[in-house]
Amino acid sequence: MTFLACPARCKATLIACPQHIFPNENLIYHGYLGCLLVYPTVAFSLCTLSVFQQACHACPHFSIHAQCKMLCYLHNVPYCLYLFQQLMHAFDVYLKILHHVDQKIQAALNCNTREWRLRNECPACFHRIEDKLKLPFDWLISIDGNNSLKWWDPAAYGTVPQADHCTARSSYWLSNEEVDKFKYEVKAKQIYDDNWWVESSDVTREFNCINQWHNARPDVQKKSFNVFKESGIFITTCHHCFVLLACDMIKSGELAKYPLAIINSLLLAYGPNGGCVYDIGCAFAKTANSSSIGARVQALSLCFMVGAFHGHAHNCLCQLDWHPMYIKGAGNTEGKGCEHVFSAFNELA
C-alpha cells in the first residue's frame, strides 16, 4: 500500500491487529486513512488531512486541488485527476469522523441542542454575572442578507439539474422547512404574499424611506433571482460578530420569511429585553408585529432599530424612532456585525 504524508511518501505493509476486521481500522490505528472504504491501495496520514483542514480555516480559498498539487510536487509525481479524487474521498471521510466524534462528545456533555449553543456562543453577550448592573438590553443582535454566495440554477440553461441530497449537519443552519413556515405571513397589497413593501398612508412620500431600499421592495422587482437556485444567505450575528444562525435564500431576495424564522428561534433561546438591528428595521418591525410571532415579539419587548451606517440614509422622522443613536441602551452600537462576516466570505470566492 502507498502511504502519503508531508513530505514523505512510501510503500509498506502493515501488520493487522486481531481485532481489526476492515483495512481502514488497521490504517487509522497507525495514523492513516484510506481513500476507499473496503480495499484501499492509497492512504493519507491524519496529520496531512489535519494540516489541510487548518489551512482552509486560515485561507478559505485554498482549494483541495491546490493541496493535491502541492503533494504531487513534494513527491515528484505528475498531477492527475484521479489523485485529486483519492484525496477528496479521504478528506470527506476524515471530516465525517471528526463530526461524529464531536457529536458524541456534545451528547455526553448535554450540549448538543441549538438552544444550548445559542446561549453559549458568545460568553460576553449571553452569560450573566451576578450583582452586575442590569442593562436596558439583555442581548443585542444584527440580521442581514447577502448575495455573494449565489448558486446558478441548472434549469435556467435547459440542463437537467443533479439532485443534491446533502443536508447541513450544523445547528447553525435553519432548514428550508423551518423557514417556509413563515412563507405567507405577510398580507401585502400586491399579489405577492411575501414582502413588506407597504407604504403608510398617513405618511407623506418625502418622509417614507421604505422605497429607497432594494430589500424592502416587492418581489416582482426581484425577478433576476430566478436564475439562481440559491441567491445568497441570511444570517444573524451577536454584538461581537459571532454567527448565531443562518439560512439559504432560495430563488429570492430578502423575503420576510427569512428574518421571521431567525427571530422566532432567537426569541425561544434568549427571552425578553432583546435588540435587533436591521437595515430596514423600521419596516420590518411592522411585519414582525403583525405576524404569527407578533404576540411573542411584543410580550418579550424585542426592540428593532436600523444600523448606524444605513440609518443616516433614512429620513429624519425615521431616524428619531429607529436610529441607535436615539435609542436608550444602544450605546455605540453600529449594527454591522453581519457585514463583517460577509467581508470574510469574500475569501471563499
Side-chain angles (χ1 to χ4, degrees):
M1 182 177 291
T2 303
F3 296 93
L4 298 176
C6 289
R9 176 178 180 266
C10 65
K11 290 186 177 182
T13 301
L14 300 178
I15 301 176
C17 297
Q19 68 271 21
H20 295 158
I21 301 176
F22 298 100
N24 269 312
E25 291 183 273
N26 191 36
L27 286 173
I28 204 165
Y29 176 80
H30 290 87
Y32 290 87
L33 189 61
C35 60
L36 295 178
L37 296 178
V38 183
Y39 299 111
T41 57
V42 175
F44 296 88
S45 70
L46 297 179
C47 181
T48 299
L49 299 174
S50 178
V51 168
F52 173 61
Q53 182 190 22
Q54 299 306 321
C56 292
H57 290 165
C59 183
H61 62 265
F62 182 69
S63 67
I64 194 169
H65 292 273
Q67 174 71 12
C68 184
K69 292 180 180 180
M70 182 189 72
L71 291 175
C72 290
Y73 293 149
L74 286 174
H75 303 148
N76 197 25
V77 175
Y79 173 78
C80 298
L81 182 60
Y82 74 90
L83 298 175
F84 153 72
Q85 294 174 341
Q86 290 175 343
L87 178 60
M88 180 182 64
H89 294 323
F91 187 66
D92 286 344
V93 174
Y94 174 76
L95 294 180
K96 289 182 179 179
I97 293 175
L98 293 183
H99 172 72
H100 286 294
V101 170
D102 182 68
Q103 290 293 310
K104 289 182 178 294
I105 294 175
Q106 297 297 328
L109 298 175
N110 293 323
C111 303
N112 56 342
T113 63
R114 176 181 289 168
E115 288 71 19
W116 185 92
R117 184 189 58 78
L118 287 173
R119 296 192 187 103
N120 295 273
E121 186 71 31
C122 178
C125 282
F126 306 119
H127 284 190
R128 302 289 175 260
I129 300 177
E130 295 181 359
D131 302 326
K132 184 180 180 180
L133 180 65
K134 183 176 177 59
L135 300 176
F137 295 111
D138 290 337
W139 50 279
L140 189 62
I141 56 99
S142 60
I143 58 176
D144 201 2
N146 181 262
N147 303 121
S148 296
L149 302 179
K150 298 183 181 71
W151 177 25
W152 283 96
D153 186 359
Y157 298 97
T159 59
V160 178
Q162 296 182 356
D164 184 6
H165 302 291
C166 297
T167 57
R169 298 180 298 187
S170 170
S171 62
Y172 286 93
W173 288 93
L174 296 178
S175 65
N176 295 337
E177 291 75 18
E178 292 178 276
V179 173
D180 285 339
K181 292 179 181 178
F182 302 92
K183 185 175 182 179
Y184 299 107
E185 289 289 324
V186 182
K187 300 300 185 292
K189 293 181 180 179
Q190 290 81 7
I191 60 174
Y192 297 92
D193 295 328
D194 198 9
N195 64 76
W196 49 71
W197 190 75
V198 182
E199 293 189 357
S200 302
S201 57
D202 56 343
V203 180
T204 58
R205 189 171 185 84
E206 56 269 18
F207 283 102
N208 195 305
C209 57
I210 296 178
N211 55 359
Q212 299 183 33
W213 303 101
H214 293 283
N215 50 357
R217 294 180 181 177
D219 196 54
V220 70
Q221 301 183 29
K222 306 174 185 178
K223 290 301 181 181
S224 61
F225 290 111
N226 288 335
V227 298
F228 301 107
K229 181 69 175 180
E230 294 177 3
S231 54
I233 62 173
F234 198 96
I235 69 171
T236 177
T237 63
C238 72
H239 186 59
H240 301 93
C241 304
F242 285 92
V243 177
L244 304 177
L245 291 172
C247 62
D248 288 316
M249 294 192 295
I250 308 297
K251 289 190 174 183
S252 66
E254 294 179 24
L255 301 182
K257 63 181 181 180
Y258 304 120
L260 285 176
I262 285 180
I263 292 297
N264 179 57
S265 297
L266 295 178
L267 290 177
L268 293 174
Y270 297 139
N273 300 325
C276 177
V277 185
Y278 191 16
D279 294 344
I280 51 173
C282 52
F284 180 67
K286 300 176 183 178
T287 301
N289 288 324
S290 61
S291 67
S292 59
I293 63 173
R296 189 185 306 143
V297 169
Q298 298 172 20
L300 297 180
S301 302
L302 179 61
C303 175
F304 291 96
M305 58 191 85
V306 298
F309 178 78
H310 284 85
H312 290 290
H314 290 238
N315 60 67
C316 294
L317 186 63
C318 177
Q319 291 184 40
L320 293 175
D321 290 330
W322 305 100
H323 199 284
M325 184 168 53
Y326 304 107
I327 297 178
K328 183 179 179 181
N332 294 325
T333 301
E334 61 170 359
K336 292 299 172 188
C338 296
E339 276 69 14
H340 291 284
V341 177
F342 295 147
S343 177
F345 284 168
N346 293 333
E347 296 293 331
L348 295 174

